[in-house]
Amino acid sequence: MERHGPSPFTISAADRFVDERESTVRLQLFYVHVFLLFSILRTAPCFLAAVMIIYQTVGFFNCTVPFHNEDILQQQSAAGLHMKIMTKGQRTKTVILSAAKTLINSRGFKATSISDIIAASGVKKGTLYFHFSGKEDLGKAILEQSRQESADFLEASLKGSSVAEKLANYLDAVLQKHKQARFVGGCLIGNTALEMADSNPAFLETIQLTFAHWRNTLTELLAEGKKNGELSSTLPPEQLAVLVVAVIEGGIMMSRTGKKEDELRTCLESLRHILGISS
């Protein structure tokens, strides 16, 4: 299908200009530091002064120095860019992560190339490699981001005055989340587990941490519900938590294949019945 209009991930021309100007300024400052270092060593070999220059030079490469040239600031203002260079760099990194995550979640990690990510994000190849050493490094960052998002989703959706209400709200939130996505992409952690768990130990570690947090959070809540008599299931909380995770993941996958909510809704209603909570 032909695509019209700019990519939602594309970096603006003004941002590219600031990127290029920032690189030039950083290089110029590096040359100044090197010149000062050799001048000190030649005219007054002072060890302490030399160490301070080296320290500043190394520190310079570990941080981003805001550039305050009036011309650049005026161009930033005209483009609505009032953030420091550091903030812009973080924004660029976020754009890359968002574009890559969307592609990988729909195509898979192996089928998504660096060229695909560059085209979708609108950044230059050098900019991508400035933030990430390669495709695997980018993949690990995406999984770590998804791990945090999974934890945040659990915390935000498990709300209520009782265990049963918290679980009911959580199941509702799962369905709504995937309905809003039109059942495209599914669960990135689950997708990557199926594709990469047997071949990439680094990815596997983050996947295991994500599932462990999900399972442990539910286990604690289910144990509380069984203790106060809110839940009728006779299964131990640990087994029940594993069942909840497995049924949700399976329902997400089935609804993704059919692009409709019937399968996921059925799975969630079955969990309600097993847990003994009302709709």
Side-chain angles (χ1 to χ4, degrees):
M1 179 182 294
E2 185 178 357
R3 202 169 151 190
H4 299 283
S7 166
F9 304 111
T10 301
I11 300 294
S12 68
D15 279 357
R16 287 198 184 94
F17 178 83
V18 175
D19 268 333
E20 293 169 359
R21 184 60 175 171
E22 177 189 350
S23 298
T24 302
V25 172
R26 287 166 65 87
L27 185 59
Q28 290 173 345
L29 287 176
F30 170 70
Y31 286 145
V32 170
H33 279 83
V34 172
F35 174 78
L36 290 174
L37 173 60
F38 279 99
S39 296
I40 289 173
L41 291 176
R42 287 181 59 189
T43 60
C46 177
F47 177 78
L48 180 59
V51 168
M52 290 300 295
I53 291 292
I54 294 172
Y55 175 81
Q56 291 177 2
T57 303
V58 173
F60 169 74
F61 282 101
N62 289 329
C63 65
T64 304
V65 180
F67 184 67
H68 296 295
N69 182 279
E70 290 184 1
D71 293 337
I72 298 298
L73 291 177
Q74 288 174 1
Q75 293 190 35
Q76 287 182 334
S77 179
L81 302 175
H82 300 289
M83 299 181 182
K84 293 181 180 180
I85 299 296
M86 180 66 176
T87 304
K88 191 205 69 63
Q90 290 175 334
R91 187 170 69 251
T92 300
K93 186 175 182 179
T94 299
V95 166
I96 296 170
L97 282 169
S98 298
K101 182 178 179 181
T102 300
L103 291 174
I104 290 173
N105 207 25
S106 60
R107 301 180 184 181
F109 183 79
K110 294 179 180 177
T112 302
S113 68
I114 287 292
S115 296
D116 294 332
I117 297 169
I118 290 171
S121 63
V123 303
K124 294 182 178 180
K125 188 174 183 179
T127 301
L128 187 146
Y129 280 105
F130 175 80
H131 292 288
F132 304 99
S133 62
K135 183 179 171 183
E136 180 156 333
D137 184 37
L138 178 55
K140 287 190 289 187
I142 291 170
L143 285 177
E144 179 57 33
Q145 184 184 69
S146 296
R147 184 186 70 80
Q148 186 59 54
E149 289 173 352
S150 174
D152 292 343
F153 178 79
L154 270 174
E155 182 179 355
S157 57
L158 285 172
K159 299 293 185 182
S161 58
S162 65
V163 171
E165 185 179 357
K166 290 177 182 179
L167 290 169
N169 288 338
Y170 171 64
L171 297 179
D172 287 341
V174 169
L175 181 60
Q176 290 304 315
K177 176 182 179 180
H178 291 278
K179 281 180 67 175
Q180 289 174 4
R182 299 181 180 179
F183 302 100
V184 174
C187 171
L188 186 139
I189 295 293
N191 295 344
T192 309
L194 292 173
E195 181 186 10
M196 304 293 292
D198 294 332
S199 59
N200 193 306
F203 286 10
L204 178 59
E205 181 180 3
T206 304
I207 292 167
Q208 289 174 330
L209 288 172
T210 305
F211 280 122
H213 179 266
W214 188 2
R215 185 177 62 249
N216 293 339
T217 300
L218 291 177
T219 297
E220 292 179 7
L221 188 62
L222 292 166
E224 180 185 346
K226 287 178 68 67
K227 183 178 180 180
N228 61 27
E230 288 187 63
L231 305 180
S232 59
S233 176
T234 58
L235 286 174
E238 296 82 3
Q239 293 184 24
L240 198 53
V242 171
L243 177 65
V244 171
V245 171
V247 171
I248 290 176
E249 279 293 319
I252 291 170
M253 180 183 66
M254 294 177 70
S255 280
R256 183 186 177 190
T257 61
K259 295 293 181 288
K260 55 184 180 179
E261 67 180 79
D262 297 0
E263 290 85 355
L264 180 55
R265 181 180 289 279
T266 298
C267 288
L268 297 176
E269 289 299 327
S270 299
L271 284 178
R272 292 177 185 275
H273 178 74
I274 293 170
L275 295 170
I277 60 177
S278 59
S279 301

